Amino acid sequence: MLAQWRLAWLLARRFRRGRERSRFLSFISASSTFGIALGCMVFIVGLSVMNGFGQVLEERFLKLVPHVEFRAVEGALQYPEMILDLAHQHPEVKAARASIKTQALVQQGREFIGVQVNGIDPRQSQAIADYMSTTAWQQLAGDNTVVLGRGLATQLGVDKGDSVRLVVAAERGFQAPKRVSLKVVGIFRFGGQVDHQMAYVNLATARNLIGLDEGYTGVELEVTDLFAAERIANDIGYQLRDYVYLDHWMRAQGHLYRDIQMVRVVMFLVLVLVLAVACFNIVSTLVMTVQEKRRHIGILRTMGLRRGGLVKVFMLQGLQNGAVGVVLGGIAGVALSLGLPSFLQLLESMSGSSILASDVYFVDSIPVLIQLSDVMLVAAVAFLMSLVATLYPAWRASRVEVVAAISA
């Protein structure tokens, strides 16, 4: 059995590399290999970029976005301690902390820039602390202090030590908006929209901004399983005595995750079609080879090679084209994925413009994450399609009549 496959492999190599092959047939064969390699390369790069976006969303962006949030309908929460106790007792909650959030305008001359002000407790562990200096994090505990995002600070033209004036609308009635001057004690750089939209203050400053004497306006939870956030929110929410707005990240930011998954699916379908077109060249190559090698086929049949052996020969010939394309495309795809961030940075520095505008997208650079499972999936799909493409030409080769082939 092994000897039969070895003979079929040697004959397939001979047919594929034979000197008597026409130049046009050689071109068609090379184009099929090139098409498969190109499809595999683009497929791997595309999946790696989508993996990178997913990783940034899950491991970076969602560290700043609360996985689950309970917000007071009006004013402060009446029973925040109850929410915190229930959260700490839940086995799938990693952390729970009180917060105060409000929308404000930062005055810059005669212009106003919208900003989301997050009141946090600097004594507790916060993900944003990793993106600012230790000094800024410590000074945030002081009175009337604020830490701004890099994009927002640049837009305002302020730096550490300067002051900014915030205008906050009154919570009730038609009172005049409140104006508060805050000292900038630090600048954080997270990347993307966060740098242009966020400002952080301590809880006391946040209470002063919205006119609260005590308490909190919300409780934020960090959960162990991101995709169980809705269920966890419902588990805790049904036990509360407070009237709250129940929110979770899938409702607020889930469109980003769904968009990434949709692009992956669309990319998969499009690139499978690209590989199908490339594999169609294998069909053309083998059909033309069958016509060109009719005499050789007839001679092999008279020497005792059975129809099944001919099928193996032409299947292996097509698979050789596919295998070469898969290997070259896989290597090129991994290499291009590894070098893509550096290449895009060079392109941005040469053009002077950013590919991803940081004030529009949640990231400001193209992330890449290569996964072995994706590379293996691409290789398997391309190899399988190459195998399917060989079936019809191999069947045609096995149906060639011996007498007609020799006398032709």
Side-chain angles (χ1 to χ4, degrees), residues 331-342:
I331 295 174
V334 172
L336 183 58
S337 297
L338 292 174
L340 186 62
S342 299

Side-chain angles (χ1 to χ4, degrees), residues 64-383:
L64 299 187
V65 176
H67 301 165
V68 176
E69 184 177 16
F70 303 100
R71 290 182 289 111
V73 175
E74 185 177 353
L77 293 170
Q78 295 183 10
Y79 308 101
E81 292 78 11
M82 179 182 181
I83 302 176
L84 292 169
D85 290 341
L86 289 172
H88 289 138
Q89 293 170 13
H90 199 286
E92 295 178 87
V93 175
K94 293 171 60 177
R97 44 186 170 260
S99 67
I100 298 175
K101 292 184 178 179
T102 187
Q103 302 292 326
L105 295 175
V106 184
Q107 188 172 359
Q108 182 189 31
R110 295 183 178 181
E111 297 182 358
F112 293 89
I113 300 174
V115 61
Q116 177 177 312
V117 181
N118 298 313
I120 60 176
D121 187 351
R123 296 171 300 179
Q124 296 180 345
S125 175
Q126 301 278 351
I128 193 61
D130 297 334
Y131 301 95
M132 67 178 73
S133 66
T134 304
T135 303
W137 181 250
Q138 294 172 348
Q139 292 181 349
L140 187 59
D143 295 335
N144 295 327
T145 57
V146 63
V147 175
L148 303 176
R150 170 60 63 185
L152 183 60
T154 302
Q155 191 174 1
L156 294 171
V158 298
D159 205 344
K160 182 178 179 180
D162 296 336
S163 295
V164 294
R165 182 178 293 274
L166 267 62
V167 181
V168 184
E171 290 288 328
R172 300 177 182 178
F174 296 95
Q175 302 176 7
K178 192 171 187 177
R179 299 174 183 267
V180 180
S181 181
L182 303 179
K183 180 182 178 181
V184 179
V185 296
I187 307 293
F188 72 86
R189 192 184 190 283
F190 178 82
Q193 291 176 314
V194 173
D195 289 356
H196 294 263
Q197 299 176 350
M198 299 288 191
Y200 288 88
V201 298
N202 59 49
L203 291 175
T205 303
R207 289 193 187 97
N208 181 40
L209 286 174
I210 64 175
L212 272 184
D213 295 328
E214 58 181 9
Y216 318 100
T217 61
V219 172
E220 301 176 356
L221 308 185
E222 182 181 352
V223 300
T224 54
D225 184 4
L226 289 172
F227 301 100
E230 183 176 4
R231 175 177 57 79
I232 296 171
N234 292 332
D235 289 345
I236 299 175
Y238 291 149
Q239 304 178 58
L240 301 182
R241 290 188 291 172
D242 253 318
Y243 289 104
V244 298
Y245 291 117
L246 192 155
D247 205 359
H248 51 85
W249 77 271
M250 283 296 292
R251 181 178 297 164
Q253 305 294 338
H255 64 282
L256 295 175
Y257 178 80
R258 289 189 291 269
D259 289 347
I260 292 173
Q261 298 306 312
M262 182 185 68
V263 171
R264 282 179 62 94
V265 173
V266 172
M267 183 181 300
F268 184 85
L269 294 176
V270 170
L271 292 177
V272 164
L273 293 178
V274 171
L275 288 176
V277 172
C279 290
F280 181 78
N281 285 335
I282 294 180
V283 179
S284 304
T285 300
L286 293 181
V287 169
M288 295 174 65
T289 301
V290 170
Q291 292 299 114
E292 191 178 68
K293 304 292 185 181
R294 287 176 65 86
R295 287 180 59 85
H296 297 76
I297 293 172
I299 293 172
L300 289 172
R301 289 294 310 280
T302 59
M303 293 176 65
L305 186 64
R306 298 181 178 181
R307 294 180 186 272
L310 278 175
V311 171
K312 295 176 184 177
V313 170
F314 284 92
M315 285 181 63
L316 289 176
Q317 182 182 348
L319 286 178
Q320 287 176 12
N321 286 351
V324 172
V326 168
V327 172
L328 293 178
I331 295 174
V334 172
L336 183 58
S337 297
L338 292 174
L340 186 62
S342 299
F343 172 74
L344 293 178
Q345 288 180 0
L346 177 62
L347 191 63
E348 288 179 350
S349 63
M350 293 176 61
S351 64
S353 60
S354 178
I355 296 177
L356 293 180
S358 61
D359 58 341
V360 177
Y361 302 98
F362 70 97
V363 292
D364 55 5
S365 61
I366 301 292
V368 173
L369 175 63
I370 302 174
Q371 292 185 347
L372 180 61
S373 58
D374 288 337
V375 178
M376 298 301 294
L377 173 64
V378 172
V381 169
F383 196 79

